[in-house]
Coordinates of all heavy atoms in Angstrom, one line a residue:
M128 N 85.9 74.8 57.7 CA 84.5 75.0 57.7 C 84.0 74.5 59.1 O 84.3 73.5 59.6 CB 83.8 74.3 56.5 CG 82.4 74.4 56.4 SD 81.6 73.6 55.0 CE 82.3 74.5 53.7
T129 N 83.1 75.3 59.6 CA 82.5 74.9 60.9 C 81.4 73.9 60.7 O 81.0 73.7 59.7 CB 81.8 76.1 61.6 OG1 80.8 76.6 60.8 CG2 82.9 77.1 61.9
T130 N 81.1 73.2 61.8 CA 80.1 72.1 61.7 C 78.7 72.5 61.3 O 78.0 71.7 60.7 CB 80.1 71.2 63.1 OG1 79.8 72.1 64.0 CG2 81.4 70.6 63.2
S131 N 78.4 73.7 61.8 CA 76.9 74.2 61.5 C 76.8 74.7 60.2 O 75.6 75.0 59.7 CB 76.4 75.0 62.6 OG 77.2 76.3 62.5
S132 N 77.8 75.2 59.4 CA 77.7 75.9 58.2 C 77.4 75.1 56.9 O 77.0 75.8 55.9 CB 78.8 76.8 58.0 OG 80.0 76.1 57.7
H133 N 77.6 73.8 57.0 CA 77.4 73.1 55.8 C 76.0 73.1 55.1 O 75.9 73.2 54.0 CB 77.8 71.5 56.0 CG 77.6 70.7 54.9 ND1 76.5 69.7 54.9 CD2 78.0 70.6 53.7 CE1 76.6 69.1 53.8 NE2 77.5 69.5 53.0
T134 N 74.9 73.0 56.0 CA 73.6 73.2 55.4 C 73.2 74.5 55.0 O 72.5 74.7 54.1 CB 72.7 72.7 56.4 OG1 72.9 73.2 57.7 CG2 72.8 71.1 56.8
K135 N 73.9 75.4 55.6 CA 73.6 76.8 55.3 C 74.1 77.1 53.8 O 73.4 77.8 53.1 CB 74.3 77.8 56.3 CG 73.7 78.0 57.5 CD 74.6 78.9 58.5 CE 74.1 78.8 59.9 NZ 75.0 79.7 60.8
M136 N 75.2 76.6 53.5 CA 75.9 76.7 52.2 C 75.0 76.0 51.2 O 74.8 76.5 50.0 CB 77.3 76.0 52.3 CG 78.1 76.4 51.0 SD 78.6 78.1 51.1 CE 79.2 78.2 49.4
L137 N 74.4 74.9 51.5 CA 73.4 74.2 50.6 C 72.2 75.0 50.3 O 71.7 75.0 49.2 CB 73.0 72.9 51.1 CG 74.1 71.8 51.3 CD1 73.5 70.5 51.9 CD2 74.7 71.5 50.0
N138 N 71.7 75.8 51.3 CA 70.6 76.7 51.0 C 71.0 77.8 50.0 O 70.2 78.2 49.2 CB 70.1 77.2 52.4 CG 69.3 76.3 53.1 OD1 68.7 75.3 52.6 ND2 69.2 76.6 54.4
Q139 N 72.2 78.3 50.2 CA 72.6 79.4 49.3 C 72.7 78.9 47.8 O 72.5 79.6 46.9 CB 73.9 79.9 49.7 CG 73.8 80.8 51.0 CD 75.2 81.2 51.5 OE1 76.2 80.8 51.0 NE2 75.2 82.0 52.5
L140 N 73.1 77.6 47.7 CA 73.4 77.1 46.4 C 72.1 76.4 45.7 O 72.3 75.8 44.6 CB 74.5 76.0 46.4 CG 75.9 76.6 46.8 CD1 76.9 75.5 46.9 CD2 76.4 77.7 45.7
K141 N 71.0 76.5 46.4 CA 69.8 75.7 45.9 C 69.4 76.1 44.5 O 69.0 75.4 43.7 CB 68.6 76.2 46.8 CG 67.7 75.1 46.9 CD 66.4 75.5 47.7 CE 66.7 75.6 49.3 NZ 65.7 76.1 50.1
N142 N 69.6 77.5 44.1 CA 69.2 78.0 42.8 C 70.3 77.9 41.7 O 70.2 78.3 40.6 CB 68.8 79.5 42.9 CG 67.5 79.6 43.8 OD1 66.7 78.7 43.7 ND2 67.5 80.7 44.5
K143 N 71.4 77.3 42.1 CA 72.6 77.0 41.3 C 73.0 75.5 41.2 O 73.9 75.2 41.8 CB 73.8 77.9 41.6 CG 73.5 79.3 41.7 CD 74.7 80.1 42.2 CE 74.4 81.6 42.3 NZ 75.5 82.4 42.9
P144 N 72.2 74.8 40.5 CA 72.4 73.3 40.5 C 73.8 72.8 40.1 O 74.2 71.9 40.8 CB 71.2 72.8 39.7 CG 70.7 73.9 38.8 CD 71.1 75.2 39.6
T145 N 74.4 73.4 39.2 CA 75.7 72.9 38.7 C 76.7 73.2 39.8 O 77.6 72.3 40.0 CB 76.0 73.7 37.4 OG1 74.9 73.6 36.6 CG2 77.3 73.0 36.7
I146 N 76.7 74.4 40.4 CA 77.6 74.6 41.4 C 77.4 73.9 42.7 O 78.3 73.4 43.3 CB 77.5 76.2 41.7 CG1 78.0 77.0 40.5 CG2 78.4 76.6 42.9 CD1 77.8 78.5 40.6
L147 N 76.1 73.6 42.9 CA 75.7 72.7 44.0 C 76.4 71.3 43.9 O 76.9 70.7 44.8 CB 74.2 72.6 44.2 CG 73.6 71.7 45.3 CD1 73.9 72.2 46.6 CD2 72.2 71.4 45.1
K148 N 76.2 70.7 42.6 CA 76.8 69.6 42.3 C 78.3 69.5 42.6 O 78.8 68.5 43.2 CB 76.5 69.2 40.9 CG 76.4 67.6 40.5 CD 75.9 67.5 39.1 CE 76.2 66.1 38.6 NZ 75.8 66.0 37.2
K149 N 79.0 70.5 42.1 CA 80.5 70.7 42.3 C 80.7 70.8 43.7 O 81.7 70.2 44.2 CB 80.9 71.8 41.5 CG 82.3 71.9 41.3 CD 82.7 73.0 40.2 CE 84.2 73.0 40.0 NZ 84.6 74.2 39.2
F150 N 80.0 71.5 44.4 CA 80.3 71.7 45.9 C 80.1 70.4 46.7 O 81.0 70.0 47.4 CB 79.2 72.7 46.5 CG 79.3 72.9 48.0 CD1 80.3 73.8 48.4 CD2 78.5 72.2 48.8 CE1 80.5 74.0 49.8 CE2 78.7 72.4 50.2 CZ 79.6 73.3 50.7
L151 N 79.1 69.7 46.4 CA 78.9 68.3 47.1 C 80.0 67.3 46.7 O 80.4 66.6 47.6 CB 77.5 67.7 46.7 CG 76.3 68.4 47.4 CD1 75.1 67.8 46.8 CD2 76.4 68.4 48.8
K152 N 80.5 67.4 45.5 CA 81.6 66.6 45.0 C 82.9 66.8 45.8 O 83.6 65.9 46.2 CB 81.9 66.6 43.6 CG 82.9 65.6 43.1 CD 83.1 65.8 41.6 CE 84.1 64.9 41.1 NZ 84.5 65.0 39.7
H153 N 83.2 68.0 46.0 CA 84.6 68.5 46.5 C 84.5 69.0 47.9 O 85.5 68.8 48.7 CB 85.2 69.6 45.7 CG 85.4 69.2 44.2 ND1 86.4 68.3 44.0 CD2 84.8 69.5 43.1 CE1 86.5 68.1 42.7 NE2 85.4 68.7 42.1
N154 N 83.4 69.5 48.5 CA 83.4 70.1 49.9 C 82.5 69.6 50.8 O 82.5 70.1 52.0 CB 83.1 71.6 49.7 CG 84.1 72.3 48.8 OD1 85.3 72.1 48.9 ND2 83.6 73.1 47.9
A155 N 81.8 68.5 50.6 CA 80.8 68.0 51.6 C 81.6 67.3 52.7 O 82.7 66.6 52.4 CB 80.0 66.9 50.9
P156 N 81.3 67.5 53.9 CA 82.1 67.0 55.1 C 81.9 65.5 55.0 O 80.9 64.9 54.6 CB 81.5 67.6 56.3 CG 80.1 68.1 55.8 CD 80.2 68.3 54.4
K157 N 83.0 64.9 55.5 CA 83.1 63.4 55.7 C 82.0 62.9 56.6 O 81.9 63.5 57.7 CB 84.4 63.0 56.3 CG 85.2 61.9 55.7 CD 86.4 61.6 56.5 CE 87.7 61.5 55.7 NZ 88.8 61.2 56.4
L158 N 81.4 61.8 56.3 CA 80.4 61.1 57.2 C 81.2 60.4 58.2 O 81.9 59.5 57.9 CB 79.4 60.2 56.4 CG 78.5 61.0 55.4 CD1 77.6 60.0 54.7 CD2 77.6 61.9 56.3
R159 N 81.1 60.7 59.5 CA 81.9 60.1 60.4 C 81.2 59.1 61.2 O 80.1 59.2 61.5 CB 82.4 61.3 61.4 CG 83.4 62.2 60.6 CD 84.1 63.1 61.5 NE 84.9 64.1 60.7 CZ 86.1 64.0 60.3 NH1 86.7 62.8 60.4 NH2 86.6 65.0 59.5
Q160 N 81.9 58.0 61.8 CA 81.4 57.0 62.5 C 81.4 57.3 64.0 O 80.6 56.9 64.7 CB 82.0 55.7 62.3 CG 81.9 55.2 60.8 CD 80.5 54.9 60.3 OE1 79.9 54.2 61.0 NE2 80.1 55.3 59.2
H161 N 82.6 57.9 64.4 CA 82.8 58.2 65.8 C 83.6 59.5 66.0 O 84.1 60.0 64.9 CB 83.5 56.9 66.4 CG 84.6 56.5 65.7 ND1 85.8 57.0 65.8 CD2 84.7 55.4 64.9 CE1 86.6 56.3 65.0 NE2 86.0 55.3 64.5
G162 N 83.7 59.9 67.2 CA 84.5 61.2 67.4 C 83.6 62.2 67.9 O 82.4 62.1 68.1
R163 N 84.2 63.5 68.0 CA 83.5 64.6 68.5 C 82.4 65.1 67.6 O 81.3 65.5 68.2 CB 84.6 65.7 68.8 CG 84.1 66.9 69.4 CD 85.2 67.9 69.6 NE 85.1 68.4 70.9 CZ 86.0 69.3 71.3 NH1 86.9 69.8 70.6 NH2 85.9 69.8 72.5
N164 N 82.6 65.0 66.3 CA 81.7 65.8 65.4 C 80.3 64.9 65.2 O 79.5 65.4 64.5 CB 82.3 65.9 64.1 CG 83.1 67.2 64.0 OD1 83.0 68.0 65.0 ND2 83.9 67.5 63.1
I165 N 80.2 63.8 65.8 CA 78.8 63.1 65.5 C 77.8 63.6 66.5 O 76.6 63.4 66.4 CB 78.9 61.6 65.6 CG1 79.5 61.1 66.8 CG2 79.7 61.1 64.4 CD1 79.3 59.5 67.1
K166 N 78.3 64.1 67.7 CA 77.3 64.7 68.7 C 77.1 66.3 68.5 O 78.1 67.0 68.5 CB 77.8 64.5 70.1 CG 77.7 63.0 70.6 CD 78.3 62.9 72.0 CE 78.2 61.5 72.4 NZ 78.9 61.4 73.7
H167 N 75.9 66.6 68.3 CA 75.6 68.0 68.2 C 74.6 68.5 69.1 O 73.6 67.7 69.5 CB 75.0 68.4 66.8 CG 76.1 68.1 65.7 ND1 76.9 69.1 65.3 CD2 76.3 66.9 65.0 CE1 77.7 68.6 64.3 NE2 77.3 67.3 64.0
C168 N 74.6 69.7 69.6 CA 73.6 70.3 70.5 C 72.3 70.4 69.7 O 72.3 70.8 68.5 CB 73.9 71.6 71.0 SG 72.7 72.4 72.0
K169 N 71.1 69.9 70.3 CA 69.9 70.0 69.7 C 69.4 71.4 69.4 O 68.7 71.6 68.3 CB 68.8 69.3 70.5 CG 68.7 67.8 70.5 CD 67.5 67.3 71.1 CE 67.6 67.3 72.6 NZ 66.6 66.6 73.3
L170 N 69.8 72.4 70.1 CA 69.3 73.8 70.0 C 70.3 74.7 69.2 O 69.8 75.4 68.3 CB 69.1 74.4 71.3 CG 68.1 73.6 72.2 CD1 68.1 74.2 73.6 CD2 66.7 73.7 71.6
C171 N 71.6 74.6 69.5 CA 72.5 75.5 68.8 C 73.4 74.9 67.8 O 73.9 75.5 66.9 CB 73.2 76.4 69.7 SG 74.5 75.4 70.6
G172 N 73.5 73.5 67.8 CA 74.3 72.9 66.9 C 75.8 72.7 67.1 O 76.5 72.1 66.2
T173 N 76.3 73.2 68.2 CA 77.7 73.1 68.5 C 78.1 71.8 68.9 O 77.2 70.9 69.3 CB 78.1 74.1 69.7 OG1 79.5 74.1 69.7 CG2 77.6 73.7 71.0
T174 N 79.4 71.4 68.9 CA 79.9 70.1 69.3 C 80.6 70.2 70.6 O 81.1 69.2 71.2 CB 80.9 69.6 68.2 OG1 81.9 70.5 68.0 CG2 80.1 69.3 66.8
R175 N 80.8 71.4 71.1 CA 81.6 71.6 72.3 C 80.8 71.6 73.5 O 79.7 72.3 73.5 CB 82.5 72.9 72.2 CG 83.4 72.8 71.0 CD 84.2 74.2 71.0 NE 85.4 73.8 70.5 CZ 86.6 74.5 70.7 NH1 86.6 75.6 71.6 NH2 87.8 74.2 70.2
G176 N 81.3 71.1 74.6 CA 80.6 71.0 75.9 C 79.3 70.3 75.9 O 78.3 70.7 76.5
M177 N 79.4 69.1 75.3 CA 78.1 68.5 75.2 C 77.7 67.6 76.5 O 78.6 67.2 77.2 CB 78.2 67.4 74.1 CG 78.1 67.9 72.6 SD 76.6 68.6 72.3 CE 75.5 67.2 72.5
I178 N 76.3 67.6 76.8 CA 75.9 66.8 77.9 C 75.0 65.7 77.3 O 73.9 66.1 76.9 CB 75.1 67.7 78.9 CG1 76.0 68.8 79.5 CG2 74.6 66.9 80.1 CD1 75.4 69.8 80.4
S179 N 75.5 64.5 77.4 CA 74.6 63.4 76.8 C 73.8 62.6 78.0 O 72.9 61.9 77.6 CB 75.4 62.4 76.1 OG 76.2 63.1 75.1
K180 N 74.2 62.9 79.3 CA 73.5 62.3 80.4 C 72.1 62.6 80.4 O 71.6 63.6 80.1 CB 74.2 62.8 81.6 CG 74.0 62.0 82.8 CD 74.7 62.4 84.1 CE 74.8 61.4 85.1 NZ 75.6 61.9 86.2
Y181 N 71.3 61.5 80.7 CA 69.8 61.6 80.7 C 69.2 61.7 79.4 O 68.0 62.2 79.3 CB 69.2 62.6 81.8 CG 69.9 62.5 83.1 CD1 70.6 63.7 83.5 CD2 69.8 61.5 83.9 CE1 71.3 63.6 84.9 CE2 70.4 61.4 85.1 CZ 71.1 62.5 85.6 OH 71.8 62.5 86.9
G182 N 70.0 61.5 78.3 CA 69.5 61.8 77.0 C 69.2 63.2 76.6 O 68.3 63.5 75.8
L183 N 70.0 64.1 77.2 CA 69.7 65.5 77.0 C 70.2 65.9 75.6 O 69.4 66.7 75.0 CB 70.5 66.4 78.1 CG 69.9 66.4 79.5 CD1 70.9 67.1 80.4 CD2 68.6 67.1 79.5
D184 N 71.4 65.6 75.2 CA 71.9 66.0 73.9 C 71.9 67.6 73.8 O 71.6 68.1 72.7 CB 71.3 65.3 72.8 CG 71.5 63.8 72.8 OD1 72.6 63.4 73.3 OD2 70.7 63.1 72.4
L185 N 72.4 68.2 74.9 CA 72.5 69.7 74.8 C 73.8 70.1 75.2 O 74.5 69.3 75.8 CB 71.5 70.3 75.9 CG 70.0 70.2 75.7 CD1 69.2 70.7 76.8 CD2 69.6 70.9 74.3
C186 N 74.3 71.3 74.8 CA 75.6 71.8 75.2 C 75.3 72.4 76.6 O 74.2 72.7 77.0 CB 76.1 72.8 74.1 SG 75.4 74.3 74.1
R187 N 76.4 72.7 77.2 CA 76.4 73.2 78.6 C 75.7 74.6 78.7 O 75.0 74.9 79.7 CB 77.8 73.3 79.2 CG 78.7 74.1 78.5 CD 80.1 74.2 79.1 NE 80.9 75.0 78.3 CZ 81.1 76.4 78.4 NH1 80.4 77.0 79.2 NH2 82.0 77.0 77.6
R188 N 75.9 75.4 77.6 CA 75.3 76.7 77.6 C 73.8 76.6 77.4 O 73.0 77.3 78.1 CB 76.0 77.5 76.4 CG 77.3 77.8 76.7 CD 78.2 78.2 75.5 NE 78.3 77.0 74.6 CZ 79.4 76.3 74.6 NH1 80.5 76.7 75.2 NH2 79.5 75.3 73.7
C189 N 73.3 75.8 76.5 CA 71.8 75.7 76.3 C 71.2 75.0 77.5 O 70.0 75.3 77.8 CB 71.5 74.9 75.0 SG 72.0 75.7 73.6
F190 N 71.9 73.9 78.1 CA 71.4 73.4 79.3 C 71.2 74.4 80.4 O 70.1 74.4 81.1 CB 72.4 72.3 79.8 CG 71.9 71.6 81.1 CD1 70.8 70.8 81.1 CD2 72.6 71.9 82.3 CE1 70.5 70.2 82.3 CE2 72.3 71.4 83.5 CZ 71.1 70.5 83.5
R191 N 72.1 75.3 80.6 CA 72.1 76.4 81.6 C 70.9 77.3 81.4 O 70.2 77.6 82.4 CB 73.4 77.2 81.7 CG 73.5 78.0 82.9 CD 75.0 78.4 83.0 NE 75.0 79.2 84.3 CZ 75.3 80.5 84.3 NH1 75.6 81.1 83.2 NH2 75.4 81.1 85.5
L192 N 70.6 77.6 80.2 CA 69.5 78.4 79.9 C 68.1 77.7 80.0 O 67.1 78.3 80.4 CB 69.6 78.8 78.3 CG 70.7 80.0 78.1 CD1 70.7 80.2 76.5 CD2 70.4 81.2 78.8
N193 N 68.1 76.4 79.8 CA 66.8 75.7 79.7 C 66.7 74.8 80.9 O 65.6 74.0 80.9 CB 66.6 74.9 78.4 CG 66.7 75.9 77.2 OD1 65.9 76.9 77.1 ND2 67.6 75.6 76.3
A194 N 67.5 74.7 81.9 CA 67.6 73.8 82.8 C 66.2 73.8 83.7 O 65.5 72.7 84.0 CB 68.7 73.9 83.8
K195 N 65.7 74.9 84.0 CA 64.6 75.1 84.9 C 63.3 74.6 84.2 O 62.5 73.9 84.8 CB 64.4 76.6 85.2 CG 64.1 76.8 86.7 CD 64.0 78.3 86.9 CE 64.2 78.4 88.5 NZ 64.3 80.0 88.8
S196 N 63.2 74.9 82.8 CA 62.0 74.4 82.1 C 62.1 72.9 81.9 O 61.0 72.3 81.6 CB 61.9 75.1 80.8 OG 63.0 74.9 80.0
L197 N 63.3 72.3 82.0 CA 63.4 70.8 81.8 C 63.1 70.1 83.1 O 63.0 68.9 83.2 CB 64.8 70.4 81.3 CG 65.1 70.8 79.9 CD1 66.6 70.6 79.7 CD2 64.4 70.0 78.9
G198 N 63.0 71.0 84.2 CA 62.6 70.3 85.4 C 63.8 70.1 86.4 O 63.7 69.5 87.5
F199 N 64.9 70.7 86.1 CA 66.2 70.6 87.1 C 66.0 71.6 88.0 O 65.5 72.7 87.8 CB 67.5 70.7 86.2 CG 67.8 69.4 85.4 CD1 67.3 69.3 84.1 CD2 68.5 68.5 85.9 CE1 67.5 68.1 83.3 CE2 68.9 67.3 85.1 CZ 68.3 67.1 83.8
K200 N 66.6 71.2 89.2 CA 66.5 72.2 90.4 C 67.9 72.4 90.9 O 68.7 71.5 90.8 CB 65.6 71.5 91.5 CG 65.0 72.5 92.4 CD 64.1 71.8 93.2 CE 63.4 72.8 94.3 NZ 62.4 72.1 95.2
K201 N 68.2 73.7 91.2 CA 69.5 74.0 91.6 C 69.6 74.0 93.1 O 68.9 74.8 93.8 CB 69.9 75.5 91.0 CG 71.4 75.7 91.1 CD 71.7 77.0 90.4 CE 73.1 77.3 90.5 NZ 73.5 78.5 89.7
Y202 N 70.5 73.2 93.6 CA 70.7 73.2 95.1 C 72.0 73.9 95.4 O 73.0 73.8 94.7 CB 70.8 71.7 95.5 CG 69.5 71.0 95.4 CD1 69.4 70.0 94.4 CD2 68.4 71.1 96.3 CE1 68.1 69.3 94.2 CE2 67.3 70.4 96.2 CZ 67.1 69.6 95.2 OH 66.0 68.9 95.0
H203 N 71.9 74.6 96.5 CA 73.1 75.5 96.9 C 74.0 74.8 97.9 O 73.5 73.9 98.6 CB 72.8 76.9 97.3 CG 72.2 77.6 96.3 ND1 72.9 78.3 95.3 CD2 70.9 77.9 95.9 CE1 72.1 79.0 94.4 NE2 70.8 78.7 94.8
Ligands
LIG532 ZN1 73.6 74.5 72.5

């Protein structure tokens, strides 16, 4: 299961409380203390290519799209 799909699954099971209970018992992801999966991109939710510098908490792709609006300037 991917890191972003766990909450989507909960939305689908909202109207089926018994199945939701069973899902949470058997399939809920482990709560982690450290490692790659505790850092998520604020915009897209991926765990890959994270930039934590300056408190950005964005992945490299979202940073590239939003860098100008955040006030970063590209020098050649
Ligand atoms: Zn992202």
Side-chain angles (χ1 to χ4, degrees):
M128 184 178 288
T129 59
T130 52
S131 67
S132 69
H133 175 247
T134 51
K135 287 178 191 173
M136 194 68 197
L137 293 178
N138 284 336
Q139 287 177 350
L140 295 174
K141 210 185 294 176
N142 296 322
K143 298 174 179 176
T145 314
I146 296 174
L147 174 69
K148 205 174 164 186
K149 197 173 179 183
F150 178 83
L151 288 174
K152 185 181 176 186
H153 295 288
N154 299 313
K157 219 188 232 180
L158 291 173
R159 299 192 187 271
Q160 300 292 315
H161 47 80
R163 186 181 225 179
N164 275 351
I165 58 163
K166 283 182 184 175
H167 295 274
C168 175
K169 282 191 282 188
L170 299 175
C171 67
T173 189
T174 56
R175 294 182 152 208
M177 287 295 299
I178 300 172
S179 304
K180 201 172 187 177
Y181 312 120
L183 284 173
D184 293 328
L185 295 172
C186 71
R187 60 180 176 84
R188 295 162 286 262
C189 293
F190 175 73
R191 193 162 183 247
L192 290 172
N193 300 305
K195 226 173 197 179
S196 61
L197 290 169
F199 286 87
K200 205 170 179 182
K201 193 172 183 178
Y202 293 101
H203 294 281

